[in-house]
Amino acid sequence: MIEIKDLHKSYHMGSNTLHVLKGINFNVKEGELVSIMGSSGSGKSTLLNILGMLDEADTGDYTLDGFAIKNLNEKIAANYRNKFLGFIFQSFNLINYKSALDNVAMPLYYQGMKRKERVEKAAHYLEKVGLADWSHHLPNEMSGGQKQRVAIARALASEPKVLLADEPTGALDTKTSYEVMDLIQGINEEGKTILIVTHEPDIAQMTKRIVNLKDGLIINDTKVEQVRAISNV
Amino acid sequence: MFSKDRWDEILEALSANKFRTLLTAFGVFWGITILVLLLALTNGLRNGVTADFGNFATNSMFMWTQQTSISYKGLPKGRFFNYKLGDVEALKAEIPELKYVSPRLQLGGYSGDNNVTRGMKTGAFQVNGDYPEFIKQQPMDITSGRFISYSDIHAKRKTCVIGVDVVKGLYDKEEDPLGTYIKISGVNFMVVGTFKASNSQGDQEEDANTIFVPFTSFGQAFNSGDNVGWMAITGHDGKSITDLKPKIFEIIKARHKIHPDDNRAIGNFDLSEAFGRVNGLFSILGFVGYFVGALVLMSGIIGISNIMLIVVKERTKEIGVRRALGATPWTIKSQILQESLILTISSGMVGISFAAGVIWLMNYILDHSGPVDNFANPSVGMSVVFTALFILVVSGLLAGLIPANSATKMKPVDALRID
């Protein structure tokens, strides 16, 4: 599903150059649940951003489901993001003045889907994350866990090939974190490919494979015995 | 482009901060109000002043005689002279560009001695001996009967057409003046028509106190021979009377043995020149109105541009999220542009309506408290409204342009990082 070859990325800050990714080689097959770990500054977020086409690599190849991702203009990148990827952020990034339902329907709006279909589909995904009764509430009327569920529903709504989660439990307490992870595990079991960036070992243990990043290089890439989140709730 | 979803999106974004949206909109509202009001007031002034010209054909001049000021061909200076009917024919024959040359003889004045009687009633009125075409130079409303005609002229019939105040002065309320006789300086004239001055302002009283009789009858009745007291001369459309004036004077001077350089012998008033001066003044005033109004409007537009920049800045993260979810840069840009357009146009529309209300109120007050000197019927035409709308659309786009560009300048990854 994802193939990455010799990926380099550096940032220029004035006269200093910060080499963040120093040649990443990395493949993800369909249906995998991968966590990317590493201390801050290890380049894990940069990697995720490049995977998410929010940022561009300097050199190296990136293929997503057979499509070469290179030199995309913003319009095509936006299109690919919309079709192929679902994002889950640490700070949820819901739009405050839109109801849960409208938030979930947003990617569908950008797909050009008709309102009626959109609402039906969004309602379906809200139900899937267990928030059917909250569809007309605004984000600030919800708890953190609920907001992240709305965000997950939003990421799922466009039926992407890959879910990218950047510290999805970073702003949640342990119990809520595990509930969210349970939901993510469930989605993965249905066959969705999911990448999670995290620095929490217990969260990483709930995935099927852990990739460890240090100073812009993968130092460790192992399959792990998945811990069921539900057993810890 | 304008689907219902788009509308919902835009209205949601605009109503997310209602107070600020209102304040911003007020700038444009105020600008367009001032613009429209300025133009309306300019128009009011123009209407007021041009109403003083009445409906008079503006490409006209009036000519009367004065004393000569230079001795010429053995004739002394300080000499009085009279225009003759022959002058009228000569002018008509020699200058084909002239549309009308109307000679006139005058008697009395509305503020002078009583000169008209009917039974027991008397009055002091202006009596004009005129030709039928005079009504084309100074249009008036014939309220009953007719104006003097050429058959009156040829037959030297003693007929007359009287103004509304003459009717009031000489007749009882329910009396029909048509067919009755009035005595002008001892000579009986039959009333064949009544008239009302059409919407002139300043000279209304004088007009209403006027009696028109056929020129030839006047000459015969009051022994003025073929003398002409006064001429109203109108040029054909497109032939400026001001340009024809020297030629007219030349002919008159030659016919009356007046020195070619004697400019004081012929008294004249050039309506076209006066009208042109006033028109020029108001063209400039109109321009000033546009200019000042546009400047005020511009500060409103800068306000919108400013607030949109702030909105974009505040929503940087939201825009980042939207782009992560698949919004193309153009989607974002067009949304910002449309937000600013809608804000500008709707506040502008309210401004135009408000200004229209104020103008209506002004007219209402003017109608009820009577006319004011040099000010009448402040109004703007549809063309001004459309111009204002056009300015609004252009400025709405301009106001949104910079913010829209800055909204998508940032890479989505950087936009998402901002808190």
Side-chain angles (χ1 to χ4, degrees):
Chain A
M1 179 63 69
I2 292 175
E3 288 165 45
I4 282 179
K5 252 200 192 140
D6 201 25
L7 204 70
H8 284 264
K9 175 77 184 174
S10 34
Y11 289 111
H12 303 276
M13 291 166 175
S15 54
N16 297 336
T17 301
L18 193 63
H19 206 166
V20 182
L21 297 180
K22 301 169 178 168
I24 303 274
N25 292 290
F26 170 63
N27 290 324
V28 178
K29 287 200 269 300
E30 192 165 354
E32 276 197 283
L33 176 55
V34 184
S35 58
I36 300 169
M37 289 198 70
S39 54
S40 59
S42 60
K44 56 186 192 309
S45 287
T46 306
L47 179 60
L48 196 77
N49 285 335
I50 291 173
L51 289 176
M53 293 177 239
L54 296 170
D55 205 349
E56 246 189 310
D58 298 335
T59 58
D61 299 321
Y62 168 26
T63 317
L64 176 65
D65 196 31
F67 289 89
I69 307 299
K70 190 137 210 183
N71 298 330
L72 301 179
N73 69 31
E74 251 307 316
K75 194 180 163 192
I76 296 174
N79 248 317
Y80 279 13
R81 283 199 288 269
N82 186 264
K83 272 199 295 198
F84 297 154
L85 302 170
F87 290 92
I88 300 163
F89 303 95
Q90 177 175 6
S91 49
F92 326 127
N93 284 347
L94 299 176
I95 290 173
N96 285 326
Y97 54 83
K98 283 180 179 287
S99 69
L101 190 77
D102 284 341
N103 263 292
V104 175
M106 281 257 291
L108 304 174
Y109 169 68
Y110 289 123
Q111 272 177 3
M113 193 181 280
K114 289 234 163 55
R115 180 161 185 88
K116 201 168 155 252
E117 276 179 76
R118 225 161 59 203
V119 169
E120 267 171 30
K121 211 162 179 187
H124 167 73
Y125 281 101
L126 266 183
E127 199 184 327
K128 197 176 163 74
V129 299
L131 289 174
D133 296 339
W134 290 79
S135 60
H136 294 292
H137 287 256
L138 292 175
N140 58 18
E141 297 162 346
M142 297 182 182
S143 71
Q146 285 173 320
K147 284 190 212 173
Q148 196 59 296
R149 282 157 186 262
V150 174
I152 291 170
R154 181 176 67 179
L156 287 173
S158 60
E159 286 162 8
K161 298 183 189 304
V162 178
L163 280 193
L164 299 173
D166 190 0
E167 306 266 12
T169 59
L172 304 174
D173 61 53
T174 312
K175 184 168 174 288
T176 323
S177 293
Y178 291 170
E179 282 167 4
V180 166
M181 280 312 290
D182 180 47
L183 185 61
I184 289 178
Q185 284 176 341
I187 293 162
N188 172 244
E189 247 123 69
E190 287 169 19
K192 195 76 72 191
T193 315
I194 305 175
L195 266 75
I196 298 175
V197 162
T198 184
H199 62 269
E200 293 167 84
D202 55 334
I203 297 297
Q205 287 299 326
M206 291 174 184
T207 64
K208 294 173 176 169
R209 174 182 163 195
I210 301 178
V211 176
N212 250 304
L213 244 66
K214 196 178 182 191
D215 298 332
L217 286 169
I218 294 178
I219 53 166
N220 195 351
D221 185 345
T222 47
K223 298 229 155 113
V224 292
E225 189 63 32
Q226 189 182 26
V227 174
R228 302 303 304 189
I230 194 78
S231 60
N232 285 301
V233 174
Chain B
M1 192 153 179
F2 272 98
S3 62
K4 186 180 177 297
D5 295 329
R6 205 25 105 63
W7 272 104
D8 288 346
E9 278 273 301
I10 288 167
L11 291 182
E12 255 177 359
L14 285 179
S15 55
N17 197 334
K18 288 197 188 68
F19 186 62
R20 188 170 63 189
T21 306
L22 265 180
L23 275 184
T24 312
F26 185 79
V28 166
F29 160 81
W30 195 238
I32 204 84
T33 303
I34 300 255
L35 176 70
V36 173
L37 280 184
L38 270 176
L39 292 177
L41 291 179
T42 310
N43 247 344
L45 273 178
R46 185 201 295 262
N47 290 341
V49 172
T50 49
D52 284 347
F53 288 89
N55 271 357
F56 218 99
T58 47
N59 193 22
S60 299
M61 63 171 284
F62 310 105
M63 208 164 72
W64 57 93
T65 60
Q66 294 175 170
Q67 280 173 278
T68 57
S69 61
I70 302 174
S71 53
Y72 186 58
K73 290 192 173 168
L75 295 166
K77 66 178 184 181
R79 174 175 63 95
F80 289 95
F81 69 102
N82 276 312
Y83 298 137
K84 301 282 173 188
L85 268 179
D87 296 337
V88 176
E89 297 312 318
L91 285 178
K92 277 183 181 167
E94 287 182 47
I95 313 180
E97 291 95 332
L98 294 181
K99 197 171 176 185
Y100 305 118
V101 181
S102 307
R104 168 183 283 182
L105 286 162
Q106 271 175 315
L107 195 70
Y110 73 103
S111 51
D113 291 338
N114 286 346
N115 54 0
V116 182
T117 58
R118 176 174 177 264
M120 299 299 290
K121 297 188 173 177
T122 61
F125 302 109
Q126 167 105 23
V127 182
N128 292 338
D130 265 304
Y131 271 80
E133 58 256 36
F134 185 73
I135 196 169
K136 293 190 176 118
Q137 290 172 294
Q138 182 178 14
M140 45 194 129
D141 299 337
I142 299 296
T143 48
S144 67
R146 60 174 177 85
F147 195 64
I148 48 181
S149 68
Y150 263 104
S151 76
D152 293 334
I153 294 283
H154 296 316
K156 299 185 182 174
R157 266 185 224 127
K158 295 193 177 54
T159 54
C160 66
V161 181
I162 58 179
V164 278
D165 284 2
V166 181
V167 177
K168 265 186 224 154
L170 297 180
Y171 293 86
D172 292 331
K173 251 200 175 121
E174 278 99 36
E175 265 182 305
D176 181 11
L178 291 188
T180 61
Y181 287 87
I182 58 175
K183 206 170 257 181
I184 302 171
S185 294
V187 182
N188 271 319
F189 283 83
M190 186 172 81
V191 177
V192 295
T194 60
F195 75 92
K196 193 176 82 185
S198 48
N199 70 19
S200 77
Q201 273 198 326
D203 298 330
Q204 214 154 28
E205 194 188 355
E206 193 178 328
D207 287 344
N209 275 301
T210 299
I211 298 170
F212 287 99
V213 302
F215 183 88
T216 48
S217 331
F218 188 105
Q220 195 178 49
F222 306 116
N223 278 328
S224 52
D226 62 348
N227 283 350
V228 171
W230 188 88
M231 278 190 248
I233 304 174
T234 303
H236 273 293
D237 295 345
K239 310 275 186 208
S240 162
I241 195 72
T242 311
D243 296 341
L244 296 171
K245 210 158 58 170
K247 206 165 167 190
I248 295 170
F249 292 165
E250 202 180 303
I251 293 167
I252 295 292
K253 281 170 182 170
R255 290 176 63 89
H256 291 277
K257 298 194 178 71
I258 298 166
H259 192 281
D261 296 332
D262 190 350
N263 291 326
R264 290 176 55 187
I266 300 170
N268 73 87
F269 177 75
D270 186 338
L271 193 62
S272 130
E273 207 176 70
F275 194 72
R277 236 187 342 256
V278 169
N279 252 348
L281 177 69
F282 283 109
S283 297
I284 291 172
L285 256 181
F287 176 76
V288 169
Y290 264 109
F291 187 70
V292 174
L295 285 185
V296 176
L297 184 61
M298 201 158 91
S299 62
I301 288 156
I302 290 173
I304 289 219
S305 196
N306 209 357
I307 216 77
M308 290 306 292
L309 266 177
I310 294 174
V311 166
V312 164
K313 187 112 189 144
E314 269 180 1
R315 296 207 323 230
T316 306
K317 188 154 189 183
E318 182 196 319
I319 290 169
V321 174
R322 282 170 181 272
R323 292 176 73 183
L325 296 180
T328 58
W330 171 242
T331 323
I332 303 276
K333 265 184 209 167
S334 68
Q335 171 152 2
I336 306 273
L337 276 182
Q338 284 174 50
E339 275 178 33
S340 103
L341 252 184
I342 285 167
L343 202 57
T344 322
I345 293 181
S346 53
S347 49
M349 294 289 233
V350 176
I352 291 177
S353 319
F354 178 73
V358 173
I359 292 168
W360 179 84
L361 195 72
M362 273 197 273
N363 276 315
Y364 182 83
I365 292 170
L366 277 179
D367 284 350
H368 279 75
S369 63
V372 176
D373 269 351
N374 292 331
F375 193 80
N377 186 28
S379 60
V380 287
M382 277 320 270
S383 66
V384 170
V385 174
F386 284 125
T387 313
L389 272 182
F390 175 75
I391 294 177
L392 279 176
V393 172
V394 171
S395 50
L397 282 175
L398 280 180
L401 213 57
I402 300 171
N405 269 328
S406 78
T408 50
K409 219 166 47 195
M410 211 180 255
K411 276 197 294 185
V413 61
D414 297 324
L416 278 170
R417 224 174 261 145
I418 285 174
D419 279 312

